[in-house]
Amino acid sequence: MENPVLTIVVPCYNEEEVLPETETRLSRVLNELVQDRLVSSASTILFVDDGSRDRTWALIEQFHISNPYVTGLKLAANAGHQNALLAGLMTAEAYSDCVISIDADLQDDTGVMREFVVRFREGYDVVYGVRKSRATDTWSKRATAQGFYKLMTKMGVNIRYNHADYRLLSKRALQSLEQFKEVNLFLRGIVPLIGFPSTEVYYDRLERFAGESKYPLKKMLAFALEGITSFSVKPIRFVTLTGFGFAVLSALAFIYALVGKFWGTTVSGWTSLILSIWFIGGVQLLALGLIGEYIGKIYKEVKRRPLYVIEKQMLTDVGKREYQQSAAEAAISIGGRYD
Ligand code: UDP
Ligand code: MG
């Protein structure tokens, strides 16, 4: 096979402290890959400036002049990590055979990129970078992150344990990703849904090289909530079940209250009052839950996720042409999403 064109996508938000080192290290890794003929010499590093307020973009411009590997993308405003990453991925898709996404802070071991590429060349479309341990994370970060993975799994969201956004995606995986038109973007949950052959590469998570985490606890909680509510209708189902539970309980209370009445142990008026409270409470919750179920359905529809992803095609020449043309048109309309 021809040497594949690789693009390394790096979302950056106020990363002036770490960026020079990131540029040096990524260029070195990429250069080695090019020298060893694992990737094409047309491969690049794409820094996505996510509306930084510091000198991040100025630095990227400097690198671009002095380093032929460096390209850049600047977002008009801070769109958040996931959206910045997507902007980079969708841009790189047009001219890359594979893309590796990595954070700017050098917490993910750049040394395993070589293994990513080797796996890709073996035929894998998705290569997940998975952390071996979290020894370098602070106690609170480790606890919240682990709680997050557990909660997500309980809520029925399929995500890789200890995998952040350090991964390789092939061109066709990117093209499929493009079909997920959701506004509530949670890439870690979406990538496993794409399918295609995938594998994992393990590495040690390091400490942030410089600067501070852009994900304080508040943002992490928001991120977790976003992940759950973008992927699961379980919270709604919980309301329905509770309502059902209360309705059943009200039947028991009904018997209890009637027995009490005939035994004469209650004051008058209590029976009817208490029964109404239980029954109406149960019915209300049940009704709320039911409405929720329908909203859940609407919510799924509104997202307009693709129902399937085509892995191979066996078409006539005319069919192929049409297919390619429609793919090209789709790419144009989707391209406008972050313009
Ligand atoms: N980031 C971004 N936009 C944001 C916040 C963060 O592009 O609004 C980038 C940031 O520059 C870094 C990556 O996302 O490259 C991960 O952020 P960080 O390392 O602060 O998160 P943590 O590793 O602490 O979870
Ligand atoms: Mg980090």
Side-chain angles (χ1 to χ4, degrees):
M1 114 175 159
E2 282 266 311
N3 287 338
V5 176
L6 165 70
T7 303
I8 302 174
V9 173
V10 193
C12 315
Y13 179 55
N14 295 343
E15 298 285 10
E16 63 180 6
E17 284 167 86
V18 70
L19 219 52
E21 177 67 19
T22 310
E23 186 241 4
T24 315
R25 254 199 246 180
L26 288 180
S27 305
R28 198 163 60 215
V29 171
L30 185 56
N31 198 36
E32 280 168 15
L33 291 176
V34 171
Q35 297 298 320
D36 296 346
R37 301 187 181 262
L38 281 168
V39 301
S40 150
S41 57
S43 301
T44 50
I45 303 166
L46 177 62
F47 287 106
V48 182
D49 174 20
D50 184 16
S52 300
R53 289 159 197 279
D54 63 1
R55 290 177 46 249
T56 297
W57 181 246
L59 285 172
I60 297 171
E61 280 179 328
Q62 271 178 30
F63 302 151
H64 177 66
I65 294 167
S66 61
N67 181 342
Y69 284 135
V70 174
T71 58
L73 200 67
K74 183 175 168 35
L75 303 190
N78 181 236
H81 178 203
Q82 299 284 295
N83 294 314
L85 185 54
L86 188 77
L89 293 178
M90 293 299 112
T91 306
E93 181 211 315
Y95 55 83
S96 319
D97 297 314
C98 59
V99 170
I100 294 177
S101 49
I102 186 168
D103 288 352
D105 57 11
L106 298 171
Q107 274 188 290
D108 306 301
D109 182 6
T110 50
V112 296
M113 283 194 178
R114 169 178 295 261
E115 209 176 328
F116 279 22
V117 173
V118 170
R119 290 298 160 89
F120 167 71
R121 295 182 63 126
E122 283 169 5
Y124 290 102
D125 287 275
V126 181
V127 185
Y128 297 99
V130 179
R131 264 169 248 158
K132 272 191 243 158
S133 77
R134 284 181 167 270
T136 57
D137 278 351
T138 61
W139 178 85
S140 68
K141 177 98 192 178
R142 198 159 58 220
T144 46
Q146 253 152 22
F148 168 70
Y149 286 111
K150 292 229 173 79
L151 186 65
M152 291 294 279
T153 316
K154 279 231 169 67
M155 289 284 167
V157 185
N158 172 15
I159 59 170
R160 285 292 129 119
Y161 190 66
N162 268 351
H163 159 71
D165 285 300
Y166 187 28
R167 71 174 84 81
L168 178 143
L169 292 171
S170 70
K171 194 186 194 85
R172 66 174 181 168
L174 286 171
Q175 282 163 345
S176 311
L177 180 64
E178 199 166 31
Q179 307 291 314
F180 287 78
K181 310 232 166 70
E182 35 201 279
V183 183
N184 305 300
L185 195 66
F186 186 69
L187 285 171
R188 268 174 243 184
I190 295 175
V191 173
L193 294 182
I194 297 176
F196 291 136
S198 70
T199 183
E200 294 176 354
V201 167
Y202 295 86
Y203 66 95
D204 284 315
R205 173 106 159 157
L206 313 165
E207 266 175 72
R208 215 173 205 290
F209 183 76
E212 279 168 12
S213 171
K214 271 70 188 173
Y215 270 96
L217 186 61
K218 194 173 140 222
K219 259 197 183 173
M220 291 238 304
L221 287 179
F223 187 60
L225 194 64
E226 176 92 9
I228 292 163
T229 53
S230 302
F231 274 88
S232 172
V233 287
K234 285 211 175 156
I236 296 173
R237 193 139 299 153
F238 179 71
V239 175
T240 315
L241 283 179
T242 315
F244 187 73
F246 272 99
V248 170
L249 273 183
S250 94
L252 295 181
F254 184 78
I255 295 166
Y256 171 76
L258 274 190
V259 169
K261 184 176 170 63
F262 286 118
W263 249 254
T265 54
T266 57
V267 288
S268 85
W270 179 82
T271 311
S272 54
L273 199 65
I274 204 73
L275 282 184
S276 315
I277 291 174
W278 275 86
F279 185 67
I280 292 191
V283 168
Q284 274 179 341
L285 262 185
L286 190 63
L288 262 183
L290 269 183
I291 294 172
E293 290 287 328
Y294 286 102
I295 293 182
K297 293 252 151 55
I298 295 171
Y299 159 83
K300 279 189 176 165
E301 287 302 321
V302 166
K303 279 209 284 238
R304 298 218 266 146
R305 283 186 181 173
L307 296 180
Y308 55 85
V309 173
I310 300 168
E311 178 163 350
K312 276 190 188 138
Q313 44 158 324
M314 210 152 39
L315 304 170
T316 60
D317 281 348
V318 179
K320 253 188 216 150
R321 236 189 349 260
E322 301 267 317
Y323 180 82
Q324 275 158 0
Q325 202 173 341
S326 74
E329 276 161 16
I332 289 163
S333 66
I334 295 159
R337 179 157 46 158
Y338 55 87
D339 273 350

